[in-house]
Amino acid sequence: MVLSTLATLESIDLQGKRVLLRCDLNVPLKDGVITDDGRIRASIPTIKYLLAQGAAVVITAHLGRPKGERKPELSLAPIAIRLSEALGSKVTFSDEIVNSAKAKGVKSGEVVLLENIRYENAETSKDEGERSALAKELASYADVFISDGFGAVHRKHASVYDVAKLLPHAAGYLVAAEIEVLKKLTQSPERPYGVVLGGAKVSDKIGVISNLLDKVNVLAIGGGMLFTFLAAQGKEIGKSLVETDLIPTVKELLSRAQELGVKILLPTDIIVAPEFSADATPTTVSADSIPADQMGLDIGPETAASFAAAISECKTVFWNGPMGVFEFPNFANGTKVVAQALTSVSGISVVGGGDSAAAVRKLGFKDSQFGYISTGGGASLEYLEGKELPGIVALN
Ligand code: ADP
Ligand code: MG
């Protein structure tokens, strides 16, 4: 992807302008409480810069997948409050998206946050005409469009893609920073280059594995997806998570890795339990002998140590996906050991993925202990898969 023409914030005259800003405020919520505000905090530098330029700022963002319906639990109203706290100044919330009086009346130095843009069916519509109509409405609020919602740039959505065609535009600080890190990971990374992948599903990550296979020196596999790898090796995996339809693809990947001389690290021990529950009794077993009535919920201590050792030898490390069900303290050790190893990488260490970012914070690590914590899960992965990101293409 050619990105040399990505316009920066500084390249555009914002003095006293009305700015439409796309942010990614899609934070995890549990019972209405924000459990990780990383994406809100990551949005602040651009907003502050715009305000310092005397701009009037209208923010558009999404939360979850309301699919065109006004689902109250996916309202951005509570996010407006947290955003205002993080910003240290007032954020006016507009319940209206289309024909918003608050957006129309926004003044220099003020911030208006529009309600969840995905309440509008047109936002995610496949029909370009429908998307353009919404994009026109959003564009009517502003003189300039700033794209800073990195977590959504892989989507061809009205507020991400179509609106960029209607207004002078630039990338915000977050989008610029994310792309720069991704470039470092793809264009001549310092070696050895290690990638650690985990999380729930192989299907989410198969494209990345395939595209990175000939670029990395070592690839470590943990999380729920490791069991599809073990199954591909003909091992017994008990009641563990598995995507049977992907076993042939995984077999192919394993033999390609062998031909390429890429080291694929697979677990040698697993922490299993009889059921998927926080109170389930954990037992460590060999990866060769997972009992039929148990499921694997974390990598074992020997595996964690070997992943950590491999990571510490690397100069470039990209990690996406928790090593186990870190939400349950009994199954968080693998994720913790891997995170710890990343903190001492002498080159660049990047944590990608919403759950991975939330996991390292939940486990007590500070953002500053890592080279970079990406705010984008799908967006980073698609970039690393070698795909074009519509929201970035639109800025070129
Ligand atoms: P990210 O958002 O960082 O890309 P994913 O969404 O792919 O990560 O996966 C995160 C989820 O994977 C977590 O909720 C975690 O509980 C789950 N997970 C990890 N290991 C396992 C496992 N062995 N069995 C079931 N789920 C797992
Ligand atoms: Mg996730």
Side-chain angles (χ1 to χ4, degrees):
M1 202 184 322
V2 184
L3 297 159
S4 48
T5 47
L6 205 60
T8 61
L9 265 185
E10 285 87 1
S11 71
I12 192 160
D13 178 22
L14 296 160
Q15 206 66 52
K17 293 272 166 65
R18 295 175 309 153
V19 173
L20 177 74
L21 173 66
R22 178 58 155 104
C23 287
D24 175 13
L25 304 177
N26 188 27
V27 290
L29 290 166
K30 201 176 175 210
D31 307 321
V33 177
I34 298 166
T35 54
D36 177 29
D37 66 356
R39 284 174 166 168
I40 294 177
R41 287 186 284 116
S43 303
I44 299 299
T46 297
I47 304 173
K48 282 200 168 153
Y49 176 81
L50 295 175
L51 293 176
Q53 298 297 304
V57 183
V58 176
I59 301 175
T60 178
H62 74 279
L63 184 64
R65 297 183 174 183
K67 302 201 165 133
E69 261 180 68
R70 283 201 166 242
K71 294 203 172 135
E73 70 277 17
L74 293 177
S75 170
L76 282 178
I79 313 296
I81 296 169
R82 180 65 74 89
L83 181 65
S84 168
E85 285 165 5
L87 192 60
S89 61
K90 193 177 167 197
V91 171
T92 302
F93 181 69
S94 168
D95 199 39
E96 269 87 40
I97 299 166
V98 169
N99 209 2
S100 160
K102 285 173 180 156
K104 286 178 185 170
V106 65
K107 305 242 163 29
S108 167
E110 291 178 356
V111 179
V112 170
L113 172 64
L114 301 175
E115 181 55 289
N116 191 343
I117 188 70
R118 290 194 189 164
Y119 280 181
E120 294 292 331
N121 225 345
E123 166 70 357
T124 58
S125 174
K126 295 256 181 295
D127 183 309
E128 202 171 330
E130 281 180 22
R131 288 200 320 266
S132 302
L134 179 60
K136 265 184 203 139
E137 182 67 26
L138 292 173
S140 76
Y141 301 143
D143 312 302
V144 174
F145 173 59
I146 302 296
S147 172
D148 213 26
F150 179 72
V153 291
H154 58 315
R155 304 291 185 201
K156 202 170 196 174
H157 290 170
S159 70
V160 176
Y161 174 78
D162 303 86
V163 76
K165 296 182 188 165
L166 303 172
L167 291 171
H169 51 254
Y173 287 131
L174 179 62
V175 162
E178 295 270 4
I179 294 292
E180 191 172 319
V181 168
L182 287 166
K183 274 190 188 170
K184 279 189 196 155
L185 290 178
T186 45
Q187 301 170 359
S188 57
E190 231 193 304
R191 291 185 183 279
Y193 180 9
V195 169
V196 185
L197 293 174
K201 288 154 83 194
V202 192
S203 47
D204 288 344
K205 321 263 157 116
I206 203 93
V208 182
I209 301 174
S210 178
N211 195 51
L212 287 180
L213 207 54
D214 59 357
K215 300 179 180 72
V216 302
N217 302 102
V218 50
L219 179 62
I221 307 281
M225 61 190 236
L226 78 88
F227 301 99
T228 304
F229 279 77
L230 295 185
Q233 293 180 323
K235 289 182 181 163
E236 204 40 70
I237 54 161
K239 298 194 290 178
S240 308
L241 207 64
V242 66
E243 287 169 274
T244 315
D245 53 324
L246 284 174
I247 290 176
T249 315
V250 167
K251 277 186 182 163
E252 254 174 60
L253 280 174
L254 287 170
S255 61
R256 231 180 90 207
Q258 202 163 26
E259 282 163 28
L260 290 164
V262 172
K263 198 155 79 177
I264 294 203
L265 287 181
L266 284 169
T268 49
D269 60 345
I270 304 286
I271 301 181
V272 299
E275 78 252 340
F276 189 88
S277 132
D279 319 313
T281 308
T283 313
T284 304
V285 300
S286 157
D288 294 317
S289 55
I290 298 175
D293 60 349
Q294 304 268 316
M295 61 177 73
L297 295 180
D298 194 9
I299 56 173
E302 181 185 279
T303 304
S306 92
F307 284 12
I311 290 167
S312 58
E313 279 169 22
C314 289
K315 285 268 171 359
T316 305
V317 182
F318 173 69
W319 170 34
N320 171 280
M323 294 293 100
V325 185
F326 72 92
E327 295 93 336
F328 304 155
N330 279 345
F331 308 100
N333 182 64
T335 303
K336 197 167 188 173
V337 171
V338 162
Q340 187 66 52
L342 252 85
T343 64
S344 50
V345 168
S346 62
I348 174 171
S349 61
V350 179
V351 182
D355 290 294
S356 311
V360 298
R361 293 183 188 122
K362 186 177 181 222
L363 294 171
F365 294 93
K366 293 199 176 68
D367 290 21
S368 58
Q369 289 180 275
F370 303 92
Y372 192 74
I373 300 189
S374 174
T375 57
S380 315
L381 292 177
E382 288 199 13
Y383 184 102
L384 294 173
E385 277 175 50
K387 287 188 185 159
E388 290 209 313
L389 308 178
I392 300 298
V393 172
L395 299 179
N396 283 326

